[in-house]
Amino acid sequence: MTRGNPCQLPGMLPNYDPNDSEAGMKILEDLTENVEQIQQRVLEEIITRNARTDYLKGFLDGQFDKQVFKKTVPVVNYEDIKPYIERIANGDSSNIISAEPIIELLTSSGTSGGQPKMMPSTAEDLHRKTFFYNLLVPVMNKYVDGLDEGKAMYLLFVKPETKTPSGLMARPVLTSYYKSNNFKNRPFNRFNVYTSPDETILCSDSKQSMYCQLLCGLVQRQEVLRVGAVFASAFLRAIKFLEHNWKELCSNIRTGHVSDWITDPGCRKVVSLVLNKPKPELADLIEHECNSKSWEGIIKKLWPRTKYIEVIVTGSMAQYVSTLEYYGGGLPLVSTMYASSECYFGINFKPLSKPWDVSYTLIPNMAYFEFLPVKKKNEDGAQYVQCNGVCKENCMEKETEKEDVETVELVDVKLGQYYELVVTTFTGLYRYRVGDILMVTGFHNKAPQFRFVHRRNVVLSIDTDKTSEEDLLKAVTKAKVIVESLGILLIEYTSYADTSSIPGHYVLFWELTSKGNNHLPVLDSKIMEQCCSTVEESLDSVYRRCRRKDNSIGPLEIRVVQHGTFDALMDFCVSQGSSVNQYKTPRCIKSGEAINILGSRVVARFFSQKAPFWEPV
């Protein structure tokens, strides 16, 4: 293996002034030019640090060799490492998996046994994230001029957190970062000045936080050069919140006083400073724009200097593109980064590309990356993942489930091929299957670029929720017991994520019949509403949090369809290329034509009447 001269390589986390975009781009060029050497050094560093941990010691037997690591350390799922993480959560030493002290556990939006997964994190990892965030701005500066001549209206929020029995905090990765000193005491960066004071971002009351951040953004409207949130769903919730509250916001601006219901002391203090004094002319202007019959292009009308909307619109967030384009009035949609609770992965080096063309360049000093090949076509009748909700074999991707399949290194992936991402991190994850399916789209220098295709096994997602086919089946099974006790049978079902309104919600299509005959039964609305609630109560903790605490998912809906509807769906799927012999009802539909077929045969609709139970766990 070519090792190169270590003196010519950038440091593991190079220091640079984030105000110096030229220096930032130089670091990115060095990192992407020396991918093989940096990946080798990253793995050596991780093994050297952690070879004596309980986990690795059992595989490496005191050896520090890369080939021994790849030969003896298995590729694992979360269930394989869950016992180790739970031991740390319950008070055991970090040395089980990490030589560096684990300071907190990051809760993932993926789930295990209905609860969020927990990922280990160290103090050093916060520095790694800071380094990563600082590299996003130099890339944007290549494509957009003058970002240091105004501010960013980024709507950022913290989520609920809890303490484990050991005293470690368990919380989402972004909440961890916003509450860290790395964020709160960050050096001034003239390219990254926010309209939202930190106190509004860190407010635990999501409604007060949203109101105050929007109020500050409106008052500073002439300084705003870009707007956004982390996810597209969160930004659209903010627009919907503005639709409902613009009159009160205008009243605050007109009088110079924040509403009495804003009781968080930190928020009241900083927002009062931003308001400063009555601004009746500004209030009139905002009122005029918001009072329009159409909100098409409202972002450009309220924030006229805005150059782009920064939100993640890849993966499950792609379903919001058309709505964002409606409100944005032609503003570019920018997805800057690819990251997860496990690790921060890659940067979009062409941020102004269209959402469907977005690719991420993996940054080689973030972790050690490997890839499991994913076959694309049905060759042996194995189980497949649906990529578009219509049963076309040539649109399916087969997952590699065998543990003995040889992984491919970052520098050896092939253009146009599909892979599942596997990471070894500095924080105690070794050869861990992230669950993301990626396709190689090109290279930046010697660093491969990847398009995010989908999450393995996920069929439904509105916000940060990720519901698998298995999760959905378990929930529906519990709900159908209710109707079966009344002599009603659930013949068939499917689902889709309805994002035509904000917030979006899950829709289940049910075909029902009475026992002993082929007639549609008389349906009691309270019974069917109970079925809706039972499905929701049976879904995982992340879904229930989004429904109850975040209000980022609307009430679940069951639509009862007439007899023969699923036969019509099968006919459609066969017409699209599915095999009659291998056809089975897709549990999630994403094709607009298929949804219209189901929707045209709906005879009754029912919604959950209460939010499901949720508490931090």
Side-chain angles (χ1 to χ4, degrees):
M1 176 175 290
T2 303
R3 306 201 28 131
N5 182 353
C7 296
Q8 297 175 345
L9 299 178
M12 198 66 76
L13 286 179
N15 290 318
Y16 85 100
D17 181 354
N19 292 285
D20 187 346
S21 285
E22 186 175 338
M25 286 308 304
K26 174 65 165 59
I27 288 172
L28 282 172
E29 291 300 305
D30 290 344
L31 288 170
T32 55
E33 187 62 47
N34 297 283
V35 175
E36 186 173 9
Q37 300 94 320
I38 292 170
Q39 281 282 279
Q40 173 73 16
R41 193 171 66 179
V42 164
L43 183 59
E44 288 176 352
E45 179 73 17
I46 292 172
I47 295 175
T48 302
R49 288 188 192 182
N50 300 293
R52 294 183 177 86
T53 60
D54 290 0
Y55 184 85
L56 283 184
K57 188 164 53 178
F59 299 113
L60 298 181
D61 193 26
Q63 300 184 68
F64 296 82
D65 183 73
K66 169 185 173 180
Q67 297 308 319
V68 173
F69 175 85
K70 295 191 70 173
K71 182 178 180 180
T72 62
V73 178
V75 174
V76 296
N77 291 301
Y78 185 73
E79 292 301 322
D80 300 309
I81 63 169
K82 182 180 176 182
Y84 297 91
I85 294 176
E86 287 185 339
R87 283 170 59 187
I88 293 170
N90 287 316
D92 218 330
S93 169
S94 299
N95 287 333
I96 298 171
I97 59 172
S98 171
E100 298 293 318
I102 291 170
I103 62 169
E104 62 186 342
L105 296 169
L106 305 178
T107 53
S108 168
S109 55
T111 61
S112 176
Q115 303 300 341
K117 296 175 182 177
M118 294 188 294
M119 300 298 167
S121 183
T122 64
E124 180 195 54
D125 204 44
L126 285 168
H127 300 316
R128 190 169 289 105
K129 292 182 174 84
T130 300
F131 167 78
F132 184 93
Y133 282 127
N134 285 339
L135 288 178
L136 299 177
V137 176
V139 176
M140 286 306 310
N141 284 341
K142 275 188 64 177
Y143 294 89
V144 182
D145 293 329
L147 291 181
D148 58 342
E149 297 171 2
K151 297 182 179 181
M153 191 187 76
Y154 288 160
L155 304 170
L156 308 175
F157 306 94
V158 296
K159 300 284 187 181
E161 58 189 3
T162 188
K163 275 191 178 181
T164 67
S166 66
L168 293 178
M169 298 303 300
R171 52 194 172 194
V173 60
L174 293 172
T175 299
S176 159
Y177 187 74
Y178 299 149
K179 290 195 168 186
S180 72
N181 287 329
N182 291 60
F183 178 77
K184 291 188 288 187
N185 298 328
R186 61 194 181 278
F188 175 75
N189 181 346
R190 72 178 191 273
F191 297 104
N192 235 359
V193 180
Y194 299 152
T195 58
S196 296
D198 287 0
E199 290 84 351
T200 64
I201 296 170
L202 295 170
C203 176
S204 60
D205 185 313
S206 58
K207 184 178 179 182
Q208 292 191 56
S209 175
M210 179 80 81
Y211 188 91
C212 291
Q213 290 192 61
L214 283 171
L215 183 55
C216 291
L218 288 167
V219 170
Q220 301 170 82
R221 66 185 292 269
Q222 285 295 342
E223 297 179 74
V224 171
L225 300 181
R226 54 204 190 276
V227 300
V230 177
F231 295 109
S233 56
F235 186 71
L236 288 174
R237 284 201 310 279
I239 299 302
K240 186 60 63 174
F241 186 93
L242 180 60
E243 283 191 68
H244 292 153
N245 295 277
W246 63 264
K247 290 182 180 178
E248 184 177 356
L249 288 161
C250 286
S251 175
N252 288 182
I253 295 169
R254 183 171 284 109
T255 62
H257 296 287
V258 66
S259 296
D260 291 340
W261 66 270
I262 301 297
T263 57
D264 182 273
C267 284
R268 286 200 69 87
K269 180 179 179 181
V270 295
V271 173
S272 295
L273 291 173
V274 173
L275 277 175
N276 190 20
K277 62 182 180 181
K279 297 178 174 63
E281 292 182 1
L282 176 59
D284 289 343
L285 188 153
I286 295 169
E287 185 174 43
H288 172 75
E289 298 296 353
C290 291
N291 218 10
S292 173
K293 290 182 179 180
S294 171
W295 269 40
E296 184 174 1
I298 191 68
I299 301 300
K300 291 176 72 173
K301 293 174 183 177
L302 292 178
W303 295 280
R305 296 179 64 201
T306 301
K307 298 173 184 284
Y308 59 87
I309 300 172
E310 184 174 331
V311 287
I312 292 174
V313 288
T314 50
S316 63
M317 292 296 131
Q319 60 193 325
Y320 297 107
V321 167
S322 60
T323 309
L324 284 167
E325 288 176 338
Y326 173 81
Y327 288 121
L331 288 170
L333 304 179
V334 172
S335 290
T336 58
M337 58 182 279
Y338 169 39
S340 75
S341 302
E342 293 90 339
C343 176
Y344 281 26
F345 303 125
I347 293 173
N348 180 3
F349 277 31
K350 296 180 179 179
L352 297 183
S353 56
K354 297 295 184 182
W356 47 88
D357 290 329
V358 169
S359 293
Y360 300 101
T361 303
L362 297 198
I363 306 303
N365 63 338
M366 290 291 104
Y368 178 67
F369 300 112
E370 299 175 81
F371 301 86
L372 286 169
V374 177
K375 295 181 181 178
K376 196 181 177 192
K377 288 197 176 183
N378 190 348
E379 297 166 353
D380 54 10
Q383 184 65 42
Y384 283 74
V385 178
Q386 286 183 266
C387 62
N388 68 353
V390 177
C391 305
K392 276 184 168 181
E393 279 88 355
N394 61 359
C395 287
M396 304 298 188
E397 290 151 12
K398 184 172 63 179
E399 298 179 42
T400 305
E401 294 291 351
K402 295 180 181 179
E403 298 300 332
D404 59 353
V405 172
E406 188 173 343
T407 58
V408 176
E409 295 194 2
L410 180 60
V411 293
D412 294 325
V413 297
K414 303 300 183 185
L415 186 66
Q417 297 299 303
Y418 292 78
Y419 300 93
E420 181 184 348
L421 180 60
V422 176
V423 296
T424 295
T425 71
F426 290 91
T427 58
L429 299 178
Y430 307 102
R431 310 197 79 193
Y432 177 79
R433 295 177 67 170
V434 175
D436 291 353
I437 307 299
L438 310 175
M439 186 186 79
V440 184
T441 59
F443 296 84
H444 182 87
N445 294 327
K446 296 176 183 176
Q449 297 175 308
F450 296 86
R451 180 172 303 142
F452 181 93
V453 179
H454 60 74
R455 284 283 298 176
R456 181 162 56 93
N457 296 333
V458 171
V459 295
L460 284 172
S461 180
I462 294 289
D463 189 43
T464 55
D465 54 301
K466 292 180 175 66
T467 298
S468 69
E469 184 173 324
E470 181 183 8
D471 295 335
L472 184 61
L473 173 61
K474 289 178 180 177
V476 170
T477 299
K478 289 183 180 179
K480 77 175 184 176
V481 171
I482 299 171
V483 294
E484 285 177 348
S485 66
L486 302 176
I488 300 172
L489 294 177
L490 174 61
I491 299 174
E492 195 57 276
Y493 76 93
T494 190
S495 64
Y496 87 103
D498 186 346
T499 57
S500 61
S501 60
I502 303 297
H505 69 288
Y506 287 11
V507 174
L508 303 184
F509 292 97
W510 281 17
E511 187 171 330
L512 301 171
T513 189
S514 296
K515 287 183 180 179
N517 59 52
N518 197 31
H519 299 295
L520 184 68
V522 177
L523 300 174
D524 183 290
S525 60
K526 289 187 178 180
I527 293 296
M528 292 305 298
E529 288 165 1
Q530 185 182 348
C531 289
C532 294
S533 294
T534 299
V535 172
E536 290 200 301
E537 292 287 357
S538 304
L539 293 174
D540 65 39
S541 175
V542 177
Y543 174 90
R544 289 181 281 115
R545 187 202 74 207
C546 289
R547 267 282 283 129
R548 187 174 191 89
K549 175 70 176 176
D550 300 344
N551 297 314
S552 59
I553 299 178
L556 181 137
E557 178 185 5
I558 292 177
R559 298 180 188 176
V560 179
V561 296
Q562 61 190 230
H563 285 303
T565 296
F566 282 86
D567 292 335
L569 178 63
M570 182 180 72
D571 292 341
F572 169 73
C573 291
V574 170
S575 74
Q576 297 296 299
S578 290
S579 164
V580 175
N581 295 328
Q582 294 183 326
Y583 175 83
K584 69 173 185 177
T585 302
R587 294 308 175 204
C588 178
I589 298 291
K590 296 179 183 176
S591 158
E593 292 176 272
I595 292 169
N596 288 337
I597 289 170
L598 295 165
S600 67
R601 292 164 170 79
V602 171
V603 296
R605 300 172 64 179
F606 306 94
F607 291 86
S608 175
Q609 297 301 305
K610 60 178 182 178
F613 172 80
W614 176 83
E615 63 180 5
V617 293

